[in-house]
Amino acid sequence: MKKSDSLKTPLLPLRGMTAVVALTIVAGLLLAGCSTTKRIPQGETLYTGLKALDVTPAPGEKVPEGVHEELAGAVNVPPNNAIFGSPSLRWPFPVGLWVWNNWNDPGHGLKHWAYEKLVAEPVLVSDVRPEARVRMLDEILDNNGYFRGGASYELVQGKNPKKAKIRYNVAAGPAYTLSSVEMLPDTCTLYHLIDSIAGKDSYLRTGSRYCVDSLSVSRTRIANSLRNRGYYYFRPEFIEYLADSIQEPMKIALRLTMASNVPEMMLRRYRTGKVTMYVFRNQGGGTPDTIPTSRGNIIQMKPSRFRKELMPECVTIRPGGYFSVRRMNSTQTRLSRLGIFNAINIEVMPDTTALEPTLNVDIGCTFDTPLEFSVELNASSKSNSYIGPGAVIGLTNRNVFGGGEQWNVTLTGSYEWQTGKGASSLFNSYEVGINTSLSFPRLLAPNFIKRRNRNLNWTRFTLSADLLNRPHYFKMAQFNFSFNYDWQSSKYSSHTLTPFKLTYTKLMKTTQEFDSIISMNPAIALSFMSQYIPQLSYTYTFDKAYDSYNSLNWTFTVQEAGNLFWSVYELCGKHGEKKLFGTPFSQFIKGQTQLVYNRRLWGDNWLVSRVALGAAYAYGNSSQVPYAEQFYVGGANSIRAWTVRSLGPGSYRPPEEIRNGYFDQTGTFRFELNTEYRFPIVGPVHGAVFLDAGNVWLLKKDPLRPGGQLRASTFLKDIALGTGVGLRLDISMLVLRADLGIGLHAPYDTGKSGYFNLPSFKNSLAFHLAIGYPF
C-alpha cells in the first residue's frame, strides 16, 4: 500500500459513520414521540412566542409609531426555533428542542459532538419574565406622557398545558401635553442664549406630547449649540426640567432650571487663544522648526515634507473668536481625510495667564508611511466557457508634494482561456491596463464654485491605457485623459464636474469572423470604429439619512461628447464629417439617474430598493453611440438571474453561434428596478431575498436586431424579471457576497409560452460572487 493510500483510507469510514449517525439521530427523533416538553420541569411552561401586543389608544387618539415600536421592543423575545429572530414566527421543525427532550447527552465522542451541534435549551415563560416586561411597558407609557395607561399580560395555552404564548395588553390612555414652557430668567448672557436656543426648538412648544426622550434630545441640542458658541465645558445635565401636572388636568406645566452646584468655570464663555500644530515624523525624532501661519504656529519635526499652506486649509479653528466644538471636529475630520496622518490628537487647555477665559489648542499629527501597496487577486467563470485569473496591483503616494496630494498607479490584468468542446490555447483572451492619477485636496479652480469649507474638495488628473484582446473577434486599445473637480456644497449635496475628458479608441486587429458579423450590422460596426470621444460631464449626488429608519441616495449624471469641437469646426466653415488628428470624433449626449431608498423594518432587517434610468443619443458627427458608452444589464450588481451583458436590447437575442461575443448585448436606453430584503442570520453572516427587473433598448431602429427598439406597446413584455437569494459576510470594512439568481421571465423567445417562460429551473439559475453590496 502506498503512503498516500494509508493516509486517506481511514477517512472513508469516519465520513460514512458521521453520515449514518446524523441520519440515525434525525430519523430516530422524527419516528419517536418527538416531544418538545418531555423534560420541562414541573410548574414551568415552554414559551412558544408572542401571541400579540394589543395597544389600545384613548378614543380619538392614535399611539405614535415610535412609541409603538418602543413597546414592541420591550416584549420582543424570540422563542426556540424563531425565524430570523422574530418573536412570533417559528420554523416548523424544532430540532434543537427534540434533541434536548429526547436524547441524553452522551458525554464524549462523536455522539457528544453531534448533540452539542443540534441541542437547544428551551426558552421558558419564567425566562421571559412577563411580569418584569409589564413593568417596562408601564415605564415606557409614563416616559411618553401616557400616565393613565397600564399594561397586563396573559398566557395563551393550546392543547398542551406545558406550552404557552404570551399576549400583552396595553391601554395607552390619553396623552399628557405641555400646557406651558417657562424659560430661564433673562439675567445673564448664558441664560439669554439658552432661552433663545430653546425658543427655536420644535419640541418645546405648547401642545407637544410629554416625552422624556424628546426632553433629553432638546437638552442635548441646547448644550451642543452652547458648546459651539464658546461654552466648551457646558453639559446637557446642567439643564433640568420641572414638570407640574396639578395645575390643569391632562396637562404638564414645564419649567427650565439650572442644576445647582455646577462649577463656575464650566459656565464661562471661552475664546480661542493660541493654536499650535505639531507635525511628527513617522519614524519619530527630528529637529523642530517653527513656522508661523494665519491660523497658528506649526512646529514641524524635520526632515519631513509638509506645506505650511495646508494648515489654513484644514484648520477651521479661529484664534480670537469664541471657541467652537464644531470647528474642532471639522478640523480633525479634514486632517484625517488628507490620508497622510496615522494619528491626530487635539487637546484643549485653559490659558491661566489670559485676562479673559481663553482656551489654547494643541493639534498633534503623526505622519503615516507615504507609500501604500495593494494587491487584489480574483478569478472568474463565465457562461461562454471562459475561466481565468485576474489581478489588480496598486501603489499610492499619499503626500507627493507635502500638501496631501495623492499619486496613484494601478496595474490591472486578467487572462481567460476557453474550456469544453472546441477549446484551443490559440484563442485565449486577456486584458491589461494601467491607470495613474494625481489628486489635490483643494479646488484648483476659480472661487465662483460654491463649496463647503467643512469638507475637503478635490481636483483630480487621470491618465489611463487599456488593451483588450478577444481572439475570436478583435484586439482593441483605449486611452483616456481627464481632470475633474469634486466638492460638497451642502451637508447632503456633492458634485463632480469633469470639464474635459478625452478618450481615444483604436480597433487594432479584427478576425474574419468578427468582420463578417459587423459587415451585416452597420450599427455595431460604427460603435466599434476607431474614434476620439471628447467629453464634458457633471454629476450631482444627494445623500441623506432622515433618521435611523430611512435614508435616500439620488445620483444624476449628464454628459456630452463632441459638441464643443463640432461647434468650432462649424464656425470655421468645416462641414460634413469632422476629424480630430485625422480620426473622426464621436458626438452624443447621455444622461442617467439612480435612486436608492433604504428602509429599516426592525432590528437589523432592511428593505433596500433602487430604480435606475439612462439614455444616450448620437447625432451630428456620429450615427451611433460608442460601444463603451452604451448601457448593459445583468451580472452581480444588476439583474442577477442573468450574467453580465446577456440581456437585450429589447426582445432581441443573438444567434447561438455568436452569443456572448462581447459586443452585441448593449443598448442606448436602460431601465432597471431592484428591491432586496436584508436580514441577519448569525454574527457577521446576513441573508437576502431579492427581486430584479429591467432591460436595455435601442433608441434608433436596427433592422438587424429585431425587437431591440424601445416601444411603448412591448415595454412591459421586454422587461426581464428575476428573483433569488443571497448570503453576505459583513466583516466591518469588507462585505463578501454570494447571490443565486433565478429567472422568472425572459424578454426573448425561449420556446416556451406564458409569462414564466424559462425552459427549465436549471437553465434559469445564475450564481455570482462579489465584494460589497449591489446597491
Side-chain angles (χ1 to χ4, degrees):
M1 179 183 293
K2 296 180 180 179
K3 185 177 181 180
S4 59
D5 292 334
S6 65
L7 290 173
K8 293 180 179 179
T9 302
L11 293 177
L12 297 176
L14 179 59
R15 291 173 181 167
M17 182 172 63
T18 303
V20 170
V21 170
L23 289 173
T24 302
I25 293 170
V26 174
L29 293 174
L30 291 175
L31 295 176
C34 295
S35 172
T36 57
T37 58
K38 181 179 179 181
R39 293 178 53 198
I40 299 296
Q42 188 68 27
E44 294 283 3
T45 305
L46 178 68
Y47 170 68
T48 56
L50 178 67
K51 179 65 176 179
L53 172 63
D54 294 328
V55 181
T56 305
E61 294 189 15
K62 183 180 179 181
V63 176
E65 181 181 352
V67 177
H68 199 287
E69 290 179 353
E70 194 174 352
L71 293 169
V75 298
N76 186 359
V77 181
N80 290 100
N81 224 41
I83 297 178
F84 305 139
S86 170
S88 54
L89 300 177
R90 304 175 66 206
W91 297 107
F93 303 107
V95 176
L97 282 177
W98 290 342
V99 171
W100 188 84
N101 280 278
N102 297 280
W103 185 22
N104 294 326
D105 184 0
H108 61 276
L110 182 59
K111 290 184 178 180
H112 174 72
W113 174 86
Y115 177 86
E116 290 293 330
K117 291 296 181 182
L118 295 174
V119 72
E121 291 194 12
V123 179
L124 305 176
V125 170
S126 59
D127 297 327
V128 179
R129 301 177 63 197
E131 300 88 353
R133 297 190 183 277
V134 165
R135 291 194 294 270
M136 292 170 61
L137 294 174
D138 288 335
E139 184 177 353
I140 292 171
L141 291 174
D142 290 344
N143 289 341
N144 285 279
Y146 297 96
F147 295 104
R148 297 189 179 183
S152 62
Y153 81 94
E154 59 180 306
L155 298 182
V156 182
Q157 296 178 323
K159 296 180 179 180
N160 189 339
K162 286 191 174 184
K163 293 182 180 180
K165 293 180 179 290
I166 302 178
R167 179 196 299 275
Y168 294 93
N169 301 299
V170 177
Y176 280 57
T177 57
L178 302 183
S179 61
S180 62
V181 179
E182 183 180 338
M183 301 297 180
L184 294 170
D186 193 0
T187 56
C188 62
T189 302
L190 175 60
Y191 287 10
H192 179 79
L193 280 175
I194 291 176
D195 291 349
S196 176
I197 298 167
K200 299 176 182 179
D201 192 284
S202 59
Y203 174 73
L204 297 175
R205 294 281 191 276
T206 301
S208 297
R209 176 176 53 82
Y210 177 84
C211 177
V212 171
D213 289 342
S214 297
L215 289 172
S216 178
V217 169
S218 296
R219 188 171 66 169
T220 300
R221 188 182 296 116
I222 294 171
N224 289 340
S225 182
L226 290 172
R227 298 188 74 205
N228 291 325
R229 303 183 188 196
Y231 294 92
Y232 174 70
Y233 294 103
F234 198 90
R235 297 293 180 266
E237 53 270 22
F238 294 172
I239 297 176
E240 294 181 347
Y241 297 106
L242 296 179
D244 186 355
S245 61
I246 300 177
Q247 295 183 15
E248 189 178 350
M250 309 296 300
K251 299 292 183 180
I252 298 289
L254 193 71
R255 179 191 299 172
L256 274 69
T257 65
M258 290 294 295
S260 59
N261 301 323
V262 177
E264 191 272 336
M265 69 164 294
M266 294 189 175
L267 299 179
R268 292 176 183 170
R269 194 177 193 185
Y270 290 86
R271 291 188 179 273
T272 303
K274 298 178 182 178
V275 178
T276 308
M277 184 174 182
Y278 298 87
V279 182
F280 302 106
R281 301 170 69 240
N282 178 263
Q283 306 91 338
T287 303
D289 181 28
T290 302
I291 306 170
T293 72
S294 60
R295 297 289 170 84
N297 291 331
I298 302 174
I299 299 179
Q300 180 181 355
M301 306 303 292
K302 291 193 173 183
S304 61
R305 183 179 297 172
F306 185 78
R307 289 176 56 248
K308 68 175 184 179
E309 293 83 3
L310 199 60
M311 184 172 182
E313 293 175 1
C314 292
V315 177
T316 60
I317 301 173
R318 302 288 194 270
Y322 286 115
F323 187 84
S324 170
V325 173
R326 182 189 295 116
R327 291 185 180 276
M328 181 181 69
N329 293 337
S330 66
T331 296
Q332 180 144 8
T333 300
R334 290 168 70 92
L335 289 170
S336 64
R337 286 181 178 175
L338 286 174
I340 63 177
F341 301 116
N342 63 14
I344 301 169
N345 183 45
I346 300 180
E347 293 185 359
V348 179
M349 299 158 292
D351 187 348
T352 56
T353 63
L355 297 178
E356 60 178 326
T358 303
L359 296 174
N360 293 331
V361 182
D362 287 349
I363 305 172
C365 302
T366 303
F367 276 116
D368 200 350
T369 53
L371 296 179
E372 179 179 316
F373 182 75
S374 64
V375 178
E376 179 181 328
L377 301 176
N378 58 71
S380 63
S381 176
K382 300 182 179 179
S383 58
N384 54 0
S385 301
Y386 274 87
I387 62 173
V392 180
I393 301 173
L395 179 65
T396 301
N397 187 325
R398 291 177 295 218
N399 195 26
V400 182
F401 307 121
E405 300 85 3
Q406 296 186 9
W407 177 57
N408 176 268
V409 178
T410 302
L411 300 174
T412 60
S414 63
Y415 186 81
E416 300 172 348
W417 59 87
Q418 193 175 26
T419 61
K421 186 178 180 180
S424 170
S425 61
L426 298 177
F427 295 102
N428 293 339
S429 174
Y430 62 84
E431 182 176 2
V432 293
I434 181 172
N435 179 291
T436 181
S437 65
L438 180 61
S439 303
F440 297 84
R442 62 195 69 89
L443 289 189
L444 305 180
N447 290 329
F448 68 85
I449 295 180
K450 182 182 178 182
R451 63 200 77 175
R452 195 167 187 254
N453 291 328
R454 295 179 186 174
N455 301 88
L456 285 178
N457 306 294
W458 291 87
T459 302
R460 291 185 173 89
F461 296 87
T462 304
L463 183 65
S464 65
D466 188 82
L467 178 63
L468 177 65
N469 182 54
R470 302 303 188 201
H472 284 291
Y473 304 103
F474 60 85
K475 179 184 289 187
M476 177 184 288
Q478 181 170 288
F479 304 91
N480 286 283
F481 168 76
S482 67
F483 77 92
N484 63 272
Y485 301 118
D486 292 330
W487 76 97
Q488 192 165 351
S489 60
S490 67
K491 185 177 181 180
Y492 307 112
S493 296
S494 58
H495 313 260
T496 298
L497 174 65
T498 304
F500 182 73
K501 177 182 179 181
L502 183 62
T503 302
Y504 175 61
T505 301
K506 175 68 174 178
L507 192 60
M508 303 174 63
K509 180 181 179 182
T510 61
T511 65
Q512 185 176 357
E513 182 180 358
F514 180 79
D515 292 338
S516 64
I517 293 172
I518 64 173
S519 65
M520 296 183 294
N521 196 323
I524 293 179
L526 289 172
S527 69
F528 269 85
M529 65 180 292
S530 298
Q531 59 191 312
Y532 284 99
I533 310 175
Q535 296 184 59
L536 182 151
S537 66
Y538 167 75
T539 298
Y540 170 77
T541 301
F542 178 83
D543 193 356
K544 182 177 181 180
Y546 291 93
D547 47 42
S548 59
Y549 293 92
N550 300 274
S551 66
L552 180 71
N553 179 279
W554 177 54
T555 303
F556 172 75
T557 300
V558 60
Q559 63 188 95
E560 66 83 25
N563 292 304
L564 179 61
F565 283 84
W566 183 88
S567 301
V568 172
Y569 274 85
E570 285 289 319
L571 290 174
C572 295
K574 173 66 175 177
H575 304 296
E577 185 182 53
K578 302 168 180 60
K579 296 183 178 181
L580 182 65
F581 305 121
T583 301
F585 60 84
S586 182
Q587 188 175 1
F588 64 87
I589 188 168
K590 179 180 179 182
Q592 51 188 322
T593 185
Q594 175 176 284
L595 183 68
V596 179
Y597 176 69
N598 292 266
R599 169 71 179 177
R600 185 163 71 92
L601 303 177
W602 69 87
D604 202 16
N605 293 259
W606 292 82
L607 185 66
V608 186
S609 301
R610 173 180 69 172
V611 57
L613 187 70
Y617 189 79
Y619 56 93
N621 212 47
S622 301
S623 60
Q624 294 294 328
V625 177
Y627 170 75
E629 296 293 340
Q630 294 189 20
F631 301 102
Y632 61 88
V633 292
N637 298 322
S638 182
I639 305 173
R640 284 160 281 186
W642 281 268
T643 55
V644 66
R645 285 189 172 92
S646 61
L647 278 170
S651 61
Y652 171 75
R653 195 183 196 194
E656 183 72 31
E657 62 271 14
I658 64 170
R659 202 166 296 158
N660 298 307
Y662 300 100
F663 57 84
D664 55 355
Q665 303 285 90
T666 59
T668 51
F669 184 87
R670 174 199 177 202
F671 175 73
E672 188 173 340
L673 284 170
N674 314 86
T675 188
E676 184 171 282
Y677 167 54
R678 300 170 183 169
F679 52 87
I681 297 179
V682 57
V685 180
H686 293 67
V689 179
F690 54 82
L691 186 69
D692 303 323
N695 204 345
V696 293
W697 290 264
L698 301 174
L699 293 180
K700 295 182 179 181
K701 186 177 181 180
D702 184 356
L704 297 179
R705 285 185 282 180
Q709 189 177 12
L710 178 66
R711 294 182 180 274
S713 58
T714 59
F715 180 76
L716 293 178
K717 185 179 178 181
D718 288 348
I719 293 179
L721 181 67
T723 184
V725 295
L727 289 176
R728 288 95 170 86
L729 181 63
D730 191 344
I731 46 178
S732 186
M733 299 296 292
L734 180 66
V735 176
L736 301 177
R737 173 166 55 94
D739 286 330
L740 178 65
I742 306 169
L744 299 177
H745 171 73
Y748 47 81
D749 183 13
T750 63
K752 186 177 179 181
S753 60
Y755 184 79
F756 301 97
N757 60 349
L758 275 298
S760 66
F761 181 74
K762 179 181 178 182
N763 292 334
S764 70
L765 301 179
F767 182 72
H768 306 278
L769 286 174
I771 296 176
Y773 288 106
F775 46 85

